[in-house]
Amino acid sequence: MKHVSKRLIAGAALLAIAAVSSPTWAATPNDQLVVGTSLAQVISLDPQQGSDAKTMEILANAYDRLIAFNPETSEIYGQLAESWDIDDTGITFHLRDAKFASGNPVTAADAAFSLVRLFKLNQSAAAGLKTFGFNGDNAESLIKAVDERTLRVDFAVPVIPEALLYRMSNGPGSVVDSVEVLKHVSNNDYGNEWLRTNTAGSGAFKVRRWSPNELVLLEATPNFWGEKPAMKRVLFRHVPESQAARLMLERGDIDIANALTAPDVRSFEGKEDFVIDKAKTGGFYALAMNAGREPLNNPEVRRIIAAYGIDYAGIAKTIVGPYGRARNVPAPQDWEGAIENPDWSFRPEEGKELLAKAGYPDGFSLTIKTIAQPPRVDIATAIQANLAELGIKVDVIQGSGAEIVAQHRARDFDLLMPQTSATEPTALGSLDNFTNNPDNSAAANNAGNFVWRSDWDISEMHALRVKATQELDASKRLPMVEQLQKDFIASSPAVFPMFERFEPLVLSARIHGYDAHPWGLTRLEAVTKTD
């Protein structure tokens, strides 16, 4: 998706912006980019830990991966890898000549260290690649530096090579400067405590300052292997209030706004100084139900809520708008292999009768937890009103990204509204968040897995998903992908899609070369600004 950009923010110097709590804003200089966004979910700058879209938006510019993919064509191309060879047992990567921001050379040993570190840390960021059999025990034997510029990754299990490449192109595949990171290891934490607030990458920028829920300031590094970026600095400002962000964009205080409500996005329609754009993420706004708690442990109750209790069409029209479209199958409707949507619609009288037959004539009470950012709060409030008509009393609990994500991972919720992204731009990749749960036990502590977080045991569905990921013949794999979706709908899912998720943004017409990435991995080295 090619995107044109528009105005920038900051006054004379972003250093002054970063240092002053209430600066006076002016039209932004041509060598500085200011993004108004929500930083609520940015809780760690460690690329093998922080995996939400807003964190990736920052880290994609401080780090390189071995490979990346073009969101317009789905073509995989090299970043630190100039080329790669695929054989029956693995992939060999050949690295380019590059340096980290520190000046240290990028080597295959750094790439091996980074990938092994991902599995040793065993954070939720590793979930996408663990699907292919990698783990903290086998990573060192499967991922090795052959020489200074050659990395070998052996397959842990039979795998579709392109699927593995797509997942390696995501943020957790970032290559860190092992020399720098190893200086900061404490208590065998693989440098995690230090990397939570510092960057050690080879991207076009490095993090100069991070103040949680306030700002992140990036500064161009002279050691970048690619073309020198036109922007000397990039400032991500925490502007969680949509109306405030809209006004700042209109008066030139920020160049890009990507956390606006649907009405505020629409307010820019027809304005020649701005461009509205959106990235199709391949993911969803979802509803997670805790199948380990009554009455949500009853499949019939879950089915009633999903199939009768939510006005998907109405919410899509009045709230979601440019953020998405109604969709309950966990594969975008226009992707190959996606099946038709089920007949899930708002039928409160039928739902109320079915709840009575299921043993709940007087309904029951639940809470729904959501991160306090658009459009999730408004969706949660609409669900609250919908379920009230079935006799289900719902209290909405808002929180920061750190709070809600931690409670999700701890299975500490009744209902919760997460969002997903496709682990690869295929129907099978999109299904991963909804059909992957190898071990549902509490002892497994597989908190990187959405299904595990909902305490939903799906051993048969998981087995079919594994079989599909290991089927190299596409003509045989496609029927498995279709069957997975049918089984999912029939299963009274404990976590299911509500709306296919887009990421709308509004840019000042001064901005050029901004190419929004569906996974939040938007690179900024090619961005320029005109008067």
Side-chain angles (χ1 to χ4, degrees):
M1 302 157 245
K2 290 296 175 194
H3 306 33
V4 244
S5 313
K6 334 358 212 156
R7 307 183 172 172
L8 294 177
I9 170 178
L14 283 179
L15 294 179
I17 291 174
V20 181
S21 59
S22 300
T24 300
W25 301 102
T28 59
N30 283 357
D31 62 354
Q32 298 178 3
L33 181 71
V34 183
V35 181
T37 188
S38 171
L39 300 175
Q41 285 183 270
V42 181
I43 56 179
S44 172
L45 296 181
D46 187 332
Q48 274 92 49
Q49 181 178 44
S51 56
D52 70 276
K54 299 303 181 184
T55 303
M56 289 299 100
E57 186 178 359
I58 296 163
L59 298 184
N61 292 284
Y63 291 93
D64 297 308
R65 284 89 65 207
L66 290 166
I67 48 178
F69 91 90
N70 184 323
E72 294 182 6
T73 64
S74 295
E75 176 188 7
I76 297 168
Y77 64 92
Q79 277 189 344
L80 288 177
E82 286 187 315
S83 63
W84 55 92
D85 306 310
I86 301 172
D87 56 48
D88 291 341
T89 61
I91 306 174
T92 302
F93 296 92
H94 307 282
L95 275 60
R96 70 172 71 250
D97 185 13
K99 289 184 178 180
F100 290 107
S102 66
N104 294 328
V106 177
T107 69
D110 293 303
F113 172 86
S114 302
L115 290 171
V116 170
R117 179 179 184 273
L118 173 67
F119 300 112
K120 293 289 188 181
L121 279 177
N122 198 27
Q123 300 281 331
S124 61
L129 281 166
K130 285 170 66 177
T131 289
F132 295 119
F134 296 99
N135 56 54
D137 294 328
N138 65 19
E140 286 178 292
S141 64
L142 296 170
I143 304 168
K144 294 181 178 180
V146 177
D147 56 39
E148 191 169 283
R149 302 276 288 278
T150 308
L151 176 75
R152 175 68 181 180
V153 177
D154 287 321
F155 300 142
V157 295
V159 64
I160 306 162
E162 291 76 14
L164 177 57
L165 289 171
Y166 277 128
R167 298 195 189 204
M168 290 181 69
S169 74
N170 212 325
S174 298
V175 176
V176 304
D177 183 342
S178 64
V179 174
E180 287 299 307
V181 172
L182 288 171
K183 293 177 183 177
H184 301 279
V185 172
S186 177
N187 298 320
N188 297 315
D189 72 344
Y190 302 96
N192 173 247
E193 186 63 29
W194 182 74
L195 273 182
R196 287 173 62 88
T197 56
N198 295 274
T199 51
S202 58
F205 299 88
K206 62 181 179 180
V207 172
R208 173 72 177 272
R209 178 183 171 189
W210 173 34
S211 295
N213 289 330
E214 181 183 352
L215 62 85
V216 176
L217 178 64
L218 304 184
E219 190 171 67
T221 172
N223 294 325
F224 181 52
W225 53 269
E227 185 176 348
K228 181 180 178 181
M231 299 297 111
K232 291 183 179 179
R233 297 182 183 90
V234 178
L235 178 66
F236 294 91
R237 289 198 61 201
H238 182 52
V239 191
E241 170 53 49
S242 178
Q243 187 175 33
R246 175 176 60 80
L247 293 172
M248 291 170 69
L249 185 61
E250 289 175 337
R251 66 177 181 243
D253 293 342
I254 61 177
D255 303 305
I256 299 171
N258 63 16
L260 299 173
T261 62
D264 281 330
V265 171
R266 292 189 181 113
S267 73
F268 288 94
E269 291 177 353
K271 294 185 178 181
E272 63 179 14
D273 290 337
F274 302 92
V275 171
I276 299 174
D277 204 353
K278 62 183 178 182
K280 180 177 178 178
T281 68
F284 299 90
Y285 292 107
L287 183 65
M289 299 188 252
N290 193 334
R293 292 184 177 180
E294 294 185 1
L296 299 172
N297 60 347
N298 184 333
E300 179 63 9
V301 170
R302 298 199 304 266
R303 187 184 73 85
I304 293 166
I305 290 174
Y308 296 86
I310 300 175
D311 185 6
Y312 303 107
I315 296 172
K317 181 178 180 180
T318 60
I319 296 173
V320 178
Y323 277 90
R325 59 188 175 193
R327 177 72 171 164
N328 304 117
V329 176
Q333 65 184 40
D334 54 353
W335 283 13
E336 183 181 16
I339 67 171
E340 291 296 317
N341 213 54
D343 182 24
W344 291 2
S345 58
F346 189 47
R347 292 166 284 175
E349 291 304 319
E350 292 180 59
K352 195 170 185 178
E353 290 178 9
L354 290 170
L355 276 181
K357 292 178 181 178
Y360 300 95
D362 299 321
F364 45 83
S365 297
L366 298 171
T367 61
I368 182 169
K369 296 183 176 181
T370 179
I371 293 172
Q373 67 182 39
R376 286 196 261 191
V377 172
D378 289 338
I379 295 173
T381 303
I383 292 172
Q384 177 188 46
N386 290 165
L387 293 181
E389 294 194 40
L390 277 71
I392 302 173
K393 182 181 182 297
V394 177
D395 290 326
V396 177
I397 299 175
Q398 302 180 39
S400 67
E403 293 166 340
I404 300 300
V405 170
Q407 291 164 11
H408 192 197
R409 291 173 178 169
R411 295 177 167 177
D412 179 18
F413 64 94
D414 295 332
L415 305 175
L416 189 144
M417 281 184 47
Q419 67 182 37
T420 74
S421 294
T423 53
E424 57 190 83
T426 66
L428 186 57
S430 186
L431 279 161
D432 196 65
N433 280 308
F434 301 93
T435 60
N436 177 14
N437 192 10
D439 183 350
N440 193 56
S441 69
N445 193 26
N446 192 8
N449 185 298
F450 273 25
V451 177
W452 183 91
R453 295 180 194 181
S454 281
D455 200 0
W456 184 36
D457 197 348
I458 53 166
S459 55
E460 291 185 6
M461 202 183 312
H462 174 82
L464 178 56
R465 189 203 62 80
V466 170
K467 186 177 180 181
T469 62
Q470 296 181 7
E471 177 53 68
L472 303 184
D473 186 334
S475 65
K476 296 179 181 178
R477 183 168 64 247
L478 192 60
M480 296 181 194
V481 172
E482 294 172 349
Q483 187 61 50
L484 263 176
Q485 295 166 76
K486 294 174 184 176
D487 291 350
F488 175 85
I489 295 299
S491 68
S492 299
V495 54
F496 66 92
M498 296 186 293
F499 306 97
E500 188 178 338
R501 185 170 67 85
F502 304 139
E503 285 286 351
L505 62 155
V506 183
L507 309 95
S508 159
R510 297 176 62 196
I511 306 302
H512 306 277
Y514 187 94
D515 193 11
H517 194 284
W519 297 346
L521 300 170
T522 305
R523 299 275 284 201
L524 300 175
E525 64 259 32
V527 170
T528 60
K529 188 190 298 189
T530 56
D531 293 328

